[in-house]
Amino acid sequence: MNARLFFLLCLWPLAAMAQGFSGLGSEADAEFTNPAPDPAFNFPADHGPHPEYRIEWWYLTATLEDADGTPYGLQWTLFRTALAPGERDGWASPQIWFAHAAVTTPDTHLATERFARGGIGQAGVEAAPFRAWIDEWVLKGPDFDTLILTAQGPDFAYDMALTAQGPLVFHGQDGYSVKSAEGQASYYYSQPFFDITGTLTLPDGEVAVSGQAWLDREWSSQPLSETQTGWDWFSLSFDAGTKLMGFQLRQTDGTTFSSATWIAADGTTTPYADGAFTARPLGETQVAGRSLPTRWQVTLPERGVDVTVNAMNRDAWMDLSIHYWEGPVDITGSHTGRGYLEMTGYE
Amino acid sequence: MIRTCLVALLSHWRRNPIQLFAYLAGLAIATGLWSGVQAINSEARASYDAAAATLGEGQFDRLIPRQGDAIAQETFVVLRRAGWLVSPVLDVTLNDVRVIGVDPVTSPTGLGGVTPPEGTSLFTTGPDTRLFANRNSARALGDLAQVIIDDTVAPGIAIGDIGAVQRLSGRNDLSTLVLLPEQPLVQPDLASIAPDLRLQPSQQVADVAQLTDSFHLNLTAFGLLSFAVGLFIVHSTIGLAFEQRRGMIRTIRSLGVPLRVLVGLIVVEMLALAAIGAVIGILLGYLMAALLLPDVAATLRGLYGAQVSGTLTLRPEWWLSGFLLAMLGTAFALAGRIWQVASMPLLASARPRAWVMSGAARFSAQAIVACVLLSAAAVLVIVAEGLILAFALLGCLLIGGALALPVIAARALAWIERGATRPIWQWFWADTRQQLPGLSLALMALLLAVAANVGVSTMVSSFRLTFVGFLDQRLAPELFVQAETPQESAALDAFLTREGIEALPLRSTPTQIEGQSVRLFGVRVGSTYRVSWVFLAERPQVWDDVADGAAVIVNEQLARRGNLWVGDMVEVAPTVTLPIAAVVGDYGNPQGQVVMSEALFETLHPDSYPGQYGIRTDDVTALRQRIADEVGIAKNAMIHQAAIKAASLEVFERTFTVTAALNVLTLGVAGFAILMSLLTLADLRVPQLAPVWAMGVTRRRLGGLELLRALGLAGLVFVFAIPLGLALAWVLLTLVNVEAFGWQLPMFLFPLEYLRLGAYALGAVTLAAAWPALRLIRTPPAALLKVFANER
């Protein structure tokens, strides 16, 4: 999913925590391993961390509904970023972990974050049995298909169970996802077929919910191209059972670089190169002092997709150490359904 | 026209360089003392702020170990994984520098506000040990670690990544855990996750800035006093300059210069000169502060453990405040004179006497104000609580006393005059009384200076007497030995028991009592305690009750802050509440203390061991050697009682070096004020002296009488200053001290000291009066004769 993180990590030195991460400049560090085409994944090991790569994440979003049909959205993300390749014990570890959790309701958006150093046990990921944790937040299970998920902040918490109903899907060329015309790329696969049920604890009380979850795994060592200013990413689940992952990177000259994956109901994928997928803002909203497009026209003509993507709650601003917009969306038009939208670089 | 006018006005200063000097010097001294004191204060405050920013002390709650000084690193991880958002801190001392390790990723203050230079990381993920510190700390650390100079880091502190500090200190654990202000929704009980830790709320961490506030208020009060005295000088100099320029002003106005232009020019002229004086004063203040700062820093470190930078920075808050205050003071003094010039009839003859005489009308008003202020002081003595009110009381007392002085002096002179029979003395006393209005400002300045000297020297000497006595009882054992480990402690105890040497093992732990951060001590009650400890208040059989674990002793600080006294119950542990058997004076320490028996302490804190031993011996050197040889305790862990005593006394000597320096300066300034006033009056008084001279009194005799008058007035001021000074001392000792330090001091009187002060004051006045007297003696007879000619 998130080439956005390439971008975020480029901005990282400017962010509040900037001091500590000034090693993350805009040029790829030669010591880190770079993704190469034709990857051969090795599971379950590849569900675990890749400390030789600079950045990596376990990124989960879910569209939910309670018994009354009220829609909700949920996010749980664990990021790993390395100051140097490899792992060492104790405080000498060059690995930094941080995590974001959020719940979106039609009226509110609650978000919180956590930070941790590697090497001391405060945060980490183990491949089998699968366990990803930071502080008391966990995403774990006997394998990658059956997981439980928890997170909490000062004003919300959630406790969910996930069961995969389909296979892993691989983006780009068998999981090698190109991010720019210059060839920046990452390894990128997803599990978009989770059924999810559980309880949201909100300021007004507990709510039992269920829905669909989408888990992304991505790692790389390469930042975005210097001419790329931001990122609009869509994960759309259509009512017909098909899914679409598409993103566009906005470039300084006003053009975009796009990429998409069409996912059939059985999990077979079709990648689409730059230009096939388009996303055009239809309406802007003032959020946190910025103007953000919260209504989009999204097309993938080769699949007959021409839909309007509308934010369920326009105020889904992640006001954390890194600022971005992330929230659930409704889909109308040629296809209907629900999904998640992420927008970065709207500073 | 404007230029000509300005040149005419300025020519006055060329003809009267002494007045110019007095004007500039008065302002410079006033500004200098004020801004110097402010410079010291702001430097200290900047250091506290840096320390607060670096350590986050007082801002965040903390988790601290119930026992000992260390928290296992695993406990940190267990807490985080249970949903307790804490950040680890390791606090060690290396080469006398407090080295603090933090985790910048979880710390609520990042790396204590340190912004590393471009290209360096806070994290030390490799084998290097990078720290951030200011220049002095970096020098002290030497090549122990790679230090990046950052002057925003508080003095005496170096800060670095927790991993680096662990490596440097050879430790693998933590000192405290900072509790982040925002915690998640659901958390298990602390007791179920980390039973060895307890929560220390942020407000119970002694706030250095708060503790030292009183000390700085003291300094500020002295600065203000000095400033007031300096302004007296400015006031009288401006008065003199105007008096002498009456003729010139009359002439200029007669020549057709509009009043508005003239007033404007005078204001510009005086303020421009004032600006020069103020700038000189700021330079003087800087010098003074730079000289005194090391002493102040040592005092603050000794008394409060507060680290203050020993080097001075030019901060706008003090030099600007000094400058503005000087300008305002000048403008204030100027306003009255300008009003006089403006309302003076165009061709009014120069009749200075009449003006001086009219000043007497102010006397009754002044007497009323003095009465009101002194009554207010009397009321405040009864109701005053808190440092601000204590200082308000001081203000009422001093200003009321100063205002009352001329009134009382006039009465006294009138009374003496009635007793005089010879005409020359009758004239002398009457003339003295007439001069009072002109001299009163200078005399008030002298009164304030002498009273402050009497008050402060009484306080300092009382302090010293009490403190030395206190050290003698508290430091009765001849040798103090520090035990680093329980094994060392046990070995030492065994050795001392074997040898039959009387030992006073001391166990201690920090705790919370009455909402205060308090140190709890467990002592082995023996003959030394029974003989040497003197209490402020006690009930019978103090030590028997303490030895039985049936009572405790508390120090004065805890007693006063907690509003406790002998007989009151105090909760020393969640399950143990005991009566207070005695309150003991404890000087040189801001923290509360509770003393209980060794046995009781052991029940409450079973893991504790005596960390310090006081040992009675006749031969310190030999015993020290034997303990080193036979127990294996390093010699530098054994301190000779005399050394501790000397170090403790040093702190107090330094505490008042600053005050003493300010005292000397105020006295000097007061002498200067007298000189200026006498010079002012000297010229005005020629018309009055001329008839006396004409009647046959020689100029030499007149000069002698002038000197005698000055001495007489100074004597009067001195007599009046003693009770005022003692009242000041009483307020300082019984009210200000309790608020500032938490202890009350008995007041002792030092008559010889006062006499010496009186001699100084008279000496200063003699010096000040000698010159005007000499000038009078040398006045050419022609000048005196001219008085009669001009009179027509």
Side-chain angles (χ1 to χ4, degrees), chain A residues 17 19-20 22 83 88 91-93 114-117 120-122 131 133 135-136 152-154, chain B residues 73 76-77 80-81 83 85 103-106 116 120 123 125 161-163 166 182-186:
Chain A
M17 291 289 295
Q19 320 109 300
S22 42
L83 304 171
R88 280 191 289 272
W91 298 107
S93 163
R114 294 294 173 86
F115 296 94
R117 297 269 281 274
I120 54 165
Q122 191 195 339
R131 189 166 73 115
W133 79 96
D135 297 338
E136 79 280 25
Q152 60 168 340
Chain B
Q73 186 164 302
F76 161 66
V77 176
R80 288 289 306 207
R81 290 182 61 177
L85 298 191
D103 171 20
V105 166
T106 52
T120 49
F123 302 106
T125 52
D161 183 64
I162 188 148
Q166 279 190 347
E182 209 163 61
Q183 296 288 323
L185 218 49
V186 184

Tab-separated table of all heavy atoms in Angstrom, chain A residues 17 19-20 22 83 88 91-93 114-117 120-122 131 133 135-136 152-154, chain B residues 73 76-77 80-81 83 85 103-106 116 120 123 125 161-163 166 182-186:
chain	number	residue	atom	x	y	z
A	17	MET	N	9.449	14.794	15.641
A	17	MET	CA	10.482	13.912	16.177
A	17	MET	C	11.757	13.975	15.350
A	17	MET	O	12.661	13.167	15.531
A	17	MET	CB	9.960	12.477	16.172
A	17	MET	CG	8.861	12.218	17.157
A	17	MET	SD	9.484	12.243	18.836
A	17	MET	CE	10.570	10.823	18.774
A	19	GLN	N	14.600	15.278	15.046
A	19	GLN	CA	16.021	15.222	15.410
A	19	GLN	C	16.603	13.822	15.285
A	19	GLN	O	17.681	13.631	14.766
A	19	GLN	CB	16.246	15.665	16.846
A	19	GLN	CG	15.442	16.815	17.280
A	19	GLN	CD	14.392	16.358	18.252
A	19	GLN	OE1	13.568	15.534	17.925
A	19	GLN	NE2	14.434	16.899	19.450
A	20	GLY	N	15.821	12.867	15.786
A	20	GLY	CA	16.371	11.541	15.910
A	20	GLY	C	16.527	10.818	14.600
A	20	GLY	O	17.194	9.810	14.518
A	22	SER	N	17.442	12.115	11.542
A	22	SER	CA	18.038	12.871	10.451
A	22	SER	C	18.874	11.975	9.546
A	22	SER	O	19.287	12.389	8.482
A	22	SER	CB	18.864	14.036	10.993
A	22	SER	OG	19.598	13.619	12.110
A	83	LEU	N	17.725	3.014	11.372
A	83	LEU	CA	18.767	4.034	11.232
A	83	LEU	C	19.977	3.443	10.527
A	83	LEU	O	20.777	4.148	9.937
A	83	LEU	CB	19.179	4.549	12.599
A	83	LEU	CG	18.040	5.115	13.443
A	83	LEU	CD1	18.514	5.408	14.858
A	83	LEU	CD2	17.477	6.366	12.809
A	88	ARG	N	20.593	-5.281	16.435
A	88	ARG	CA	21.509	-5.512	17.550
A	88	ARG	C	20.690	-5.562	18.826
A	88	ARG	O	19.618	-4.972	18.910
A	88	ARG	CB	22.548	-4.383	17.648
A	88	ARG	CG	23.696	-4.509	16.659
A	88	ARG	CD	24.807	-3.519	16.981
A	88	ARG	NE	24.419	-2.153	16.683
A	88	ARG	CZ	24.586	-1.573	15.478
A	88	ARG	NH1	25.120	-2.248	14.486
A	88	ARG	NH2	24.210	-0.333	15.284
A	91	TRP	N	19.699	-1.339	23.691
A	91	TRP	CA	19.498	0.021	23.179
A	91	TRP	C	20.332	0.277	21.925
A	91	TRP	O	20.119	1.259	21.234
A	91	TRP	CB	19.869	1.054	24.243
A	91	TRP	CG	19.030	0.981	25.471
A	91	TRP	CD1	19.416	0.513	26.691
A	91	TRP	CD2	17.664	1.384	25.618
A	91	TRP	NE1	18.373	0.600	27.584
A	91	TRP	CE2	17.291	1.134	26.952
A	91	TRP	CE3	16.720	1.926	24.741
A	91	TRP	CZ2	16.014	1.409	27.439
A	91	TRP	CZ3	15.448	2.204	25.233
A	91	TRP	CH2	15.101	1.940	26.565
A	92	ALA	N	21.298	-0.586	21.661
A	92	ALA	CA	22.156	-0.384	20.502
A	92	ALA	C	21.435	-0.730	19.199
A	92	ALA	O	21.956	-0.494	18.113
A	92	ALA	CB	23.420	-1.226	20.632
A	93	SER	N	20.229	-1.286	19.309
A	93	SER	CA	19.485	-1.630	18.098
A	93	SER	C	19.241	-0.392	17.239
A	93	SER	O	18.842	0.647	17.735
A	93	SER	CB	18.136	-2.249	18.485
A	93	SER	OG	17.271	-2.219	17.368
A	114	ARG	N	2.126	5.429	19.063
A	114	ARG	CA	3.080	4.868	20.016
A	114	ARG	C	4.469	4.864	19.385
A	114	ARG	O	4.592	4.831	18.160
A	114	ARG	CB	2.704	3.430	20.393
A	114	ARG	CG	1.412	3.318	21.169
A	114	ARG	CD	1.528	3.966	22.536
A	114	ARG	NE	0.250	4.006	23.238
A	114	ARG	CZ	-0.214	3.002	23.977
A	114	ARG	NH1	0.496	1.900	24.104
A	114	ARG	NH2	-1.374	3.109	24.586
A	115	PHE	N	5.490	4.889	20.258
A	115	PHE	CA	6.872	4.830	19.779
A	115	PHE	C	7.665	3.817	20.599
A	115	PHE	O	7.411	3.648	21.784
A	115	PHE	CB	7.552	6.195	19.925
A	115	PHE	CG	6.940	7.262	19.077
A	115	PHE	CD1	5.968	8.105	19.586
A	115	PHE	CD2	7.340	7.419	17.766
A	115	PHE	CE1	5.400	9.088	18.799
A	115	PHE	CE2	6.783	8.396	16.965
A	115	PHE	CZ	5.805	9.235	17.486
A	116	ALA	N	8.646	3.221	19.982
A	116	ALA	CA	9.474	2.260	20.717
A	116	ALA	C	10.811	2.068	20.022
A	116	ALA	O	10.938	2.277	18.816
A	116	ALA	CB	8.755	0.923	20.835
A	117	ARG	N	11.805	1.676	20.816
A	117	ARG	CA	13.100	1.291	20.260
A	117	ARG	C	13.114	-0.213	20.051
A	117	ARG	O	12.495	-0.953	20.828
A	117	ARG	CB	14.217	1.654	21.242
A	117	ARG	CG	14.359	3.125	21.512
A	117	ARG	CD	15.334	3.760	20.546
A	117	ARG	NE	16.715	3.521	20.894
A	117	ARG	CZ	17.408	4.263	21.740
A	117	ARG	NH1	16.827	5.259	22.358
A	117	ARG	NH2	18.681	4.012	21.980
A	120	ILE	N	14.929	-4.095	22.742
A	120	ILE	CA	14.670	-4.264	24.169
A	120	ILE	C	13.371	-5.001	24.442
A	120	ILE	O	13.042	-5.271	25.595
A	120	ILE	CB	14.636	-2.893	24.893
A	120	ILE	CG1	13.633	-1.964	24.222
A	120	ILE	CG2	16.018	-2.259	24.900
A	120	ILE	CD1	13.271	-0.765	25.068
A	121	GLY	N	12.599	-5.295	23.391
A	121	GLY	CA	11.386	-6.083	23.582
A	121	GLY	C	10.114	-5.274	23.698
A	121	GLY	O	9.029	-5.829	23.871
A	122	GLN	N	10.241	-3.957	23.589
A	122	GLN	CA	9.038	-3.119	23.719
A	122	GLN	C	8.153	-3.230	22.477
A	122	GLN	O	6.943	-3.038	22.559
A	122	GLN	CB	9.467	-1.673	23.961
A	122	GLN	CG	8.326	-0.754	24.367
A	122	GLN	CD	8.706	0.714	24.238
A	122	GLN	OE1	9.887	1.067	24.219
A	122	GLN	NE2	7.712	1.574	24.146
A	131	ARG	N	3.198	-12.640	15.415
A	131	ARG	CA	2.945	-11.709	16.519
A	131	ARG	C	3.604	-10.376	16.184
A	131	ARG	O	4.817	-10.320	15.990
A	131	ARG	CB	3.536	-12.268	17.815
A	131	ARG	CG	3.139	-11.464	19.054
A	131	ARG	CD	3.467	-12.261	20.303
A	131	ARG	NE	4.906	-12.298	20.520
A	131	ARG	CZ	5.507	-11.727	21.573
A	131	ARG	NH1	4.808	-11.091	22.484
A	131	ARG	NH2	6.810	-11.806	21.708
A	133	TRP	N	3.761	-6.471	17.794
A	133	TRP	CA	3.325	-5.749	18.997
A	133	TRP	C	4.131	-4.479	19.189
A	133	TRP	O	5.260	-4.342	18.728
A	133	TRP	CB	3.453	-6.659	20.217
A	133	TRP	CG	4.854	-6.785	20.744
A	133	TRP	CD1	5.403	-6.071	21.766
A	133	TRP	CD2	5.895	-7.645	20.276
A	133	TRP	NE1	6.707	-6.443	21.966
A	133	TRP	CE2	7.038	-7.403	21.061
A	133	TRP	CE3	5.978	-8.597	19.243
A	133	TRP	CZ2	8.253	-8.065	20.865
A	133	TRP	CZ3	7.196	-9.254	19.057
A	133	TRP	CH2	8.303	-8.991	19.862
A	135	ASP	N	4.117	-1.897	22.760
A	135	ASP	CA	3.460	-1.749	24.053
A	135	ASP	C	2.392	-2.828	24.206
A	135	ASP	O	2.662	-3.975	23.910
A	135	ASP	CB	2.871	-0.336	24.232
A	135	ASP	CG	3.962	0.739	24.208
A	135	ASP	OD1	5.128	0.390	24.474
A	135	ASP	OD2	3.653	1.904	23.921
A	136	GLU	N	1.151	-2.415	24.612
A	136	GLU	CA	0.097	-3.416	24.803
A	136	GLU	C	-0.714	-3.645	23.528
A	136	GLU	O	-1.631	-4.459	23.520
A	136	GLU	CB	-0.819	-3.001	25.971
A	136	GLU	CG	-1.871	-1.943	25.656
A	136	GLU	CD	-1.356	-0.516	25.650
A	136	GLU	OE1	-0.148	-0.315	25.425
A	136	GLU	OE2	-2.172	0.407	25.850
A	152	GLN	N	-5.328	0.760	21.937
A	152	GLN	CA	-6.106	1.717	22.706
A	152	GLN	C	-5.362	3.036	22.805
A	152	GLN	O	-4.145	3.105	22.656
A	152	GLN	CB	-6.421	1.166	24.102
A	152	GLN	CG	-5.171	0.862	24.923
A	152	GLN	CD	-5.502	0.594	26.385
A	152	GLN	OE1	-6.563	0.984	26.858
A	152	GLN	NE2	-4.596	-0.059	27.089
A	153	GLY	N	-6.158	4.057	23.004
A	153	GLY	CA	-5.598	5.390	23.221
A	153	GLY	C	-6.240	5.967	24.465
A	153	GLY	O	-6.909	5.249	25.205
A	154	PRO	N	-6.042	7.263	24.708
A	154	PRO	CA	-6.630	7.876	25.904
A	154	PRO	C	-8.156	7.872	25.866
A	154	PRO	O	-8.790	7.919	26.900
A	154	PRO	CB	-6.116	9.316	25.873
A	154	PRO	CG	-5.004	9.329	24.886
A	154	PRO	CD	-5.251	8.223	23.931
B	73	GLN	N	15.621	-2.990	33.781
B	73	GLN	CA	15.162	-2.557	32.460
B	73	GLN	C	13.948	-3.374	32.022
B	73	GLN	O	13.066	-2.869	31.352
B	73	GLN	CB	16.299	-2.710	31.449
B	73	GLN	CG	15.946	-2.153	30.098
B	73	GLN	CD	17.182	-1.964	29.264
B	73	GLN	OE1	18.087	-1.248	29.664
B	73	GLN	NE2	17.223	-2.616	28.132
B	76	PHE	N	10.644	-1.899	32.844
B	76	PHE	CA	10.192	-0.881	31.891
B	76	PHE	C	9.394	-1.530	30.765
B	76	PHE	O	8.279	-1.098	30.430
B	76	PHE	CB	11.404	-0.118	31.343
B	76	PHE	CG	11.146	0.619	30.060
B	76	PHE	CD1	10.262	1.687	30.015
B	76	PHE	CD2	11.792	0.243	28.887
B	76	PHE	CE1	10.021	2.363	28.835
B	76	PHE	CE2	11.559	0.910	27.700
B	76	PHE	CZ	10.661	1.977	27.671
B	77	VAL	N	9.948	-2.595	30.192
B	77	VAL	CA	9.283	-3.258	29.068
B	77	VAL	C	7.963	-3.880	29.525
B	77	VAL	O	6.938	-3.759	28.848
B	77	VAL	CB	10.219	-4.314	28.442
B	77	VAL	CG1	9.498	-5.073	27.338
B	77	VAL	CG2	11.478	-3.654	27.911
B	80	ARG	N	5.397	-1.120	29.848
B	80	ARG	CA	4.930	-0.641	28.540
B	80	ARG	C	3.977	-1.660	27.932
B	80	ARG	O	2.926	-1.298	27.395
B	80	ARG	CB	6.119	-0.428	27.578
B	80	ARG	CG	7.007	0.749	27.857
B	80	ARG	CD	6.430	2.119	27.598
B	80	ARG	NE	5.877	2.369	26.293
B	80	ARG	CZ	5.810	3.586	25.729
B	80	ARG	NH1	6.311	4.642	26.345
B	80	ARG	NH2	5.250	3.748	24.563
B	81	ARG	N	4.313	-2.922	28.052
B	81	ARG	CA	3.486	-3.936	27.395
B	81	ARG	C	2.211	-4.211	28.154
B	81	ARG	O	1.339	-4.942	27.676
B	81	ARG	CB	4.309	-5.189	27.141
B	81	ARG	CG	5.335	-4.890	26.035
B	81	ARG	CD	6.190	-6.033	25.649
B	81	ARG	NE	5.420	-7.156	25.119
B	81	ARG	CZ	5.979	-8.245	24.672
B	81	ARG	NH1	7.304	-8.346	24.664
B	81	ARG	NH2	5.247	-9.228	24.220
B	83	GLY	N	0.530	-1.501	29.078
B	83	GLY	CA	-0.248	-0.300	28.807
B	83	GLY	C	0.103	0.876	29.700
B	83	GLY	O	-0.614	1.867	29.731
B	85	LEU	N	2.305	3.888	29.953
B	85	LEU	CA	3.196	4.645	29.078
B	85	LEU	C	4.220	5.389	29.928
B	85	LEU	O	3.930	6.422	30.528
B	85	LEU	CB	2.395	5.611	28.202
B	85	LEU	CG	1.406	4.908	27.265
B	85	LEU	CD1	0.852	5.872	26.239
B	85	LEU	CD2	2.061	3.721	26.555
B	103	ASP	N	15.462	8.035	26.763
B	103	ASP	CA	15.120	7.398	25.498
B	103	ASP	C	14.345	8.433	24.683
B	103	ASP	O	13.180	8.707	24.966
B	103	ASP	CB	14.250	6.166	25.780
B	103	ASP	CG	13.688	5.585	24.487
B	103	ASP	OD1	14.246	5.881	23.414
B	103	ASP	OD2	12.690	4.849	24.556
B	104	PRO	N	14.984	9.029	23.687
B	104	PRO	CA	14.333	10.130	22.955
B	104	PRO	C	13.042	9.705	22.260
B	104	PRO	O	12.200	10.540	21.983
B	104	PRO	CB	15.378	10.548	21.914
B	104	PRO	CG	16.648	9.895	22.319
B	104	PRO	CD	16.310	8.715	23.161
B	105	VAL	N	12.895	8.413	22.012
B	105	VAL	CA	11.710	7.946	21.290
B	105	VAL	C	10.461	8.008	22.172
B	105	VAL	O	9.384	8.371	21.725
B	105	VAL	CB	11.957	6.517	20.775
B	105	VAL	CG1	10.667	5.875	20.340
B	105	VAL	CG2	12.929	6.552	19.608
B	106	THR	N	10.623	7.699	23.474
B	106	THR	CA	9.445	7.683	24.339
B	106	THR	C	9.401	8.867	25.292
B	106	THR	O	8.380	9.123	25.903
B	106	THR	CB	9.421	6.384	25.178
B	106	THR	OG1	10.685	6.249	25.827
B	106	THR	CG2	9.144	5.185	24.324
B	116	PRO	N	20.099	18.386	18.297
B	116	PRO	CA	21.451	18.054	17.852
B	116	PRO	C	21.781	18.763	16.537
B	116	PRO	O	20.886	19.011	15.736
B	116	PRO	CB	21.420	16.543	17.655
B	116	PRO	CG	20.004	16.147	17.678
B	116	PRO	CD	19.173	17.276	18.148
B	120	THR	N	23.948	14.941	13.105
B	120	THR	CA	24.212	14.043	14.223
B	120	THR	C	22.893	13.506	14.711
B	120	THR	O	21.872	14.178	14.642
B	120	THR	CB	24.907	14.749	15.391
B	120	THR	OG1	24.183	15.934	15.665
B	120	THR	CG2	26.342	15.048	15.088
B	123	PHE	N	20.518	9.220	18.805
B	123	PHE	CA	20.711	7.820	19.153
B	123	PHE	C	22.166	7.443	18.988
B	123	PHE	O	22.854	7.916	18.111
B	123	PHE	CB	19.872	6.933	18.245
B	123	PHE	CG	18.425	7.249	18.319
B	123	PHE	CD1	17.811	7.907	17.286
B	123	PHE	CD2	17.698	6.907	19.432
B	123	PHE	CE1	16.472	8.204	17.352
B	123	PHE	CE2	16.357	7.202	19.503
B	123	PHE	CZ	15.735	7.861	18.458
B	125	THR	N	23.616	4.198	18.309
B	125	THR	CA	23.328	2.801	18.046
B	125	THR	C	24.592	1.974	17.938
B	125	THR	O	24.549	0.773	17.984
B	125	THR	CB	22.532	2.674	16.740
B	125	THR	OG1	23.243	3.378	15.731
B	125	THR	CG2	21.162	3.279	16.889
B	161	ASP	N	21.738	9.540	25.034
B	161	ASP	CA	20.877	8.397	24.841
B	161	ASP	C	21.080	7.417	25.990
B	161	ASP	O	22.185	7.238	26.498
B	161	ASP	CB	21.198	7.720	23.511
B	161	ASP	CG	20.265	6.556	23.259
B	161	ASP	OD1	19.072	6.805	23.126
B	161	ASP	OD2	20.748	5.413	23.226
B	162	ILE	N	19.997	6.787	26.414
B	162	ILE	CA	20.067	5.915	27.580
B	162	ILE	C	21.058	4.769	27.354
B	162	ILE	O	21.762	4.360	28.284
B	162	ILE	CB	18.659	5.398	27.952
B	162	ILE	CG1	18.715	4.662	29.276
B	162	ILE	CG2	18.071	4.525	26.853
B	162	ILE	CD1	17.477	4.786	30.081
B	163	GLY	N	21.134	4.308	26.105
B	163	GLY	CA	22.082	3.238	25.798
B	163	GLY	C	23.508	3.690	26.031
B	163	GLY	O	24.336	2.968	26.606
B	166	GLN	N	24.168	4.013	29.783
B	166	GLN	CA	24.357	2.683	30.382
B	166	GLN	C	25.766	2.168	30.117
B	166	GLN	O	26.438	1.664	31.015
B	166	GLN	CB	23.329	1.693	29.817
B	166	GLN	CG	21.965	1.785	30.486
B	166	GLN	CD	21.043	0.643	30.085
B	166	GLN	OE1	21.330	-0.093	29.128
B	166	GLN	NE2	19.949	0.497	30.800
B	182	GLU	N	-0.267	11.498	28.990
B	182	GLU	CA	-1.470	10.892	28.428
B	182	GLU	C	-1.358	9.370	28.518
B	182	GLU	O	-0.425	8.789	27.977
B	182	GLU	CB	-1.632	11.322	26.972
B	182	GLU	CG	-3.080	11.361	26.552
B	182	GLU	CD	-3.265	12.162	25.279
B	182	GLU	OE1	-2.677	11.761	24.265
B	182	GLU	OE2	-3.991	13.172	25.310
B	183	GLN	N	-2.277	8.759	29.232
B	183	GLN	CA	-2.255	7.316	29.414
B	183	GLN	C	-3.482	6.705	28.724
B	183	GLN	O	-4.509	7.363	28.579
B	183	GLN	CB	-2.257	6.975	30.905
B	183	GLN	CG	-0.999	7.455	31.644
B	183	GLN	CD	0.240	6.641	31.279
B	183	GLN	OE1	0.175	5.420	31.074
B	183	GLN	NE2	1.375	7.310	31.176
B	184	PRO	N	-3.372	5.436	28.303
B	184	PRO	CA	-4.500	4.832	27.578
B	184	PRO	C	-5.683	4.535	28.491
B	184	PRO	O	-5.591	4.644	29.714
B	184	PRO	CB	-3.897	3.566	27.007
B	184	PRO	CG	-2.746	3.253	27.874
B	184	PRO	CD	-2.215	4.550	28.370
B	185	LEU	N	-6.774	4.134	27.849
B	185	LEU	CA	-8.056	3.917	28.509
B	185	LEU	C	-7.977	2.891	29.641
B	185	LEU	O	-8.444	3.122	30.740
B	185	LEU	CB	-9.048	3.424	27.437
B	185	LEU	CG	-10.475	3.894	27.488
B	185	LEU	CD1	-10.554	5.401	27.640
B	185	LEU	CD2	-11.205	3.455	26.207
B	186	VAL	N	-7.384	1.759	29.343
B	186	VAL	CA	-7.412	0.651	30.298
B	186	VAL	C	-5.994	0.320	30.757
B	186	VAL	O	-5.107	0.117	29.933
B	186	VAL	CB	-8.032	-0.606	29.637
B	186	VAL	CG1	-8.154	-1.724	30.662
B	186	VAL	CG2	-9.388	-0.281	29.029
